[in-house]
Amino acid sequence: KQTLLPLLRVETSSFIFPCKLALQKPELKHMVMELLKCIPLLLFLLFVCGLDHFIFSILSIIQHHSFIQYSYQSSHHLSVNVMGESLMAQLLRGTIGALNSSFETEIETSNLACLPQPTEMTRQQYLNTCLPLGALALLCLAQVYPFRLRRAIAAFYFPKREKTRVLFLYNKLLRQRKNFFYLQRGRVARQAREPPGPGTLLMQWCRQRWPWLRRCLRQRCTLCGTPETPRHQPCPNPDCSALYCQSCW
């Protein structure tokens, strides 16, 4: 609880607050890993769609440039004329005259039945193909909110385990905070031994010469870097220009 152990600014980024709608830093890492797993599916989908379009283009070119049409026309006329009025002539006209025939042939054919008949996928079909992957990506983004309920569910069914976890977290934060201030104290000591840069001296001179510029030239906390507010505490040493926020002080 914040009344028991208020979190510092550097500690806030390592916790997940269930009531915040925005994605938080510990959740982003898990979400990015889930989205990276969708990349192979996306590449495979793009490859399949590109291969489909490539095959359609090839078959369409074959269909339009390999069409061949054949046209065949023929005519046949047979006529036997027997001259004369004799019996033999009449007999020949009766027998051979039956052979007289006349016909015309016209044939048109093509290789249309042998050519491929490709059908291009519509935009709606492409959209229906990509919708499952889009839904999977949205689930990767939205799964962080149901995951926040895991601790509450576990605490409801196992209250003793929840109490143990809270005590462990409390002691862990105390140890981390002790080590953090120990390291920061050494860093601030090394920084104080170094001579201030010209930019720092110029800003301090401007703040002393024109106090109204303090709203624009605000200092930051030496430890956590929060901007200056009226609640910040300056170092009591007159020769030190360090500034600390309330929690760090």
Side-chain angles (χ1 to χ4, degrees), residues 12-30:
T12 306
S13 59
S14 61
F15 286 89
I16 298 176
F17 297 92
C19 296
K20 288 186 178 180
L21 295 178
L23 296 177
Q24 300 169 51
K25 187 176 180 179
E27 298 172 330
L28 288 176
K29 182 179 179 180
H30 182 73

Side-chain angles (χ1 to χ4, degrees), residues 62-173:
I62 294 175
Q63 180 187 15
H64 289 87
H65 297 278
S66 299
F67 177 74
I68 299 176
Q69 185 175 10
Y70 302 91
S71 179
Y72 175 76
Q73 295 180 353
S74 66
S75 60
H76 179 75
H77 298 278
L78 177 62
S79 177
V80 180
N81 296 323
V82 179
M83 309 299 295
E85 297 294 336
S86 64
L87 180 61
M88 182 59 69
Q90 294 177 3
L91 181 62
L92 291 175
R93 277 197 294 271
T95 56
I96 300 177
L99 299 175
N100 295 340
S101 62
S102 177
F103 62 88
E104 295 182 358
T105 303
E106 183 176 354
I107 300 175
E108 290 186 358
T109 184
S110 64
N111 63 342
L112 182 63
C114 302
L115 293 177
Q117 305 292 330
T119 303
E120 186 178 10
M121 291 180 63
T122 62
R123 292 184 178 180
Q124 185 65 32
Q125 291 174 336
Y126 279 116
L127 182 61
N128 295 336
T129 306
C130 298
L131 277 179
L133 185 60
L136 180 61
L138 290 178
L139 288 177
C140 293
L141 297 176
Q143 70 178 355
V144 296
Y145 299 105
F147 281 176
R148 294 179 182 179
L149 301 176
R150 293 180 296 180
R151 190 207 61 82
I153 296 174
F156 178 78
Y157 287 102
F158 304 98
K160 293 183 179 181
R161 175 65 65 177
E162 175 68 10
K163 182 178 179 180
T164 305
R165 293 178 69 250
V166 171
L167 292 175
F168 174 79
L169 178 62
Y170 178 75
N171 295 325
K172 179 183 176 182
L173 281 177

Side-chain angles (χ1 to χ4, degrees), residues 26-38:
E27 298 172 330
L28 288 176
K29 182 179 179 180
H30 182 73
M31 184 193 66
V32 170
M33 294 301 298
E34 294 293 333
L35 290 177
L36 289 178
K37 293 180 182 179
C38 299

Side-chain angles (χ1 to χ4, degrees), residues 178-208:
K178 182 179 178 180
N179 295 331
F180 171 76
F181 283 119
Y182 176 78
L183 296 176
Q184 292 297 326
R185 188 178 295 111
R187 184 182 67 84
V188 172
R190 290 192 302 271
Q191 184 178 355
R193 287 193 293 266
E194 297 177 357
T200 305
L201 295 176
L202 180 60
M203 187 178 65
Q204 292 178 359
W205 182 80
C206 293
R207 287 168 57 90
Q208 294 176 359

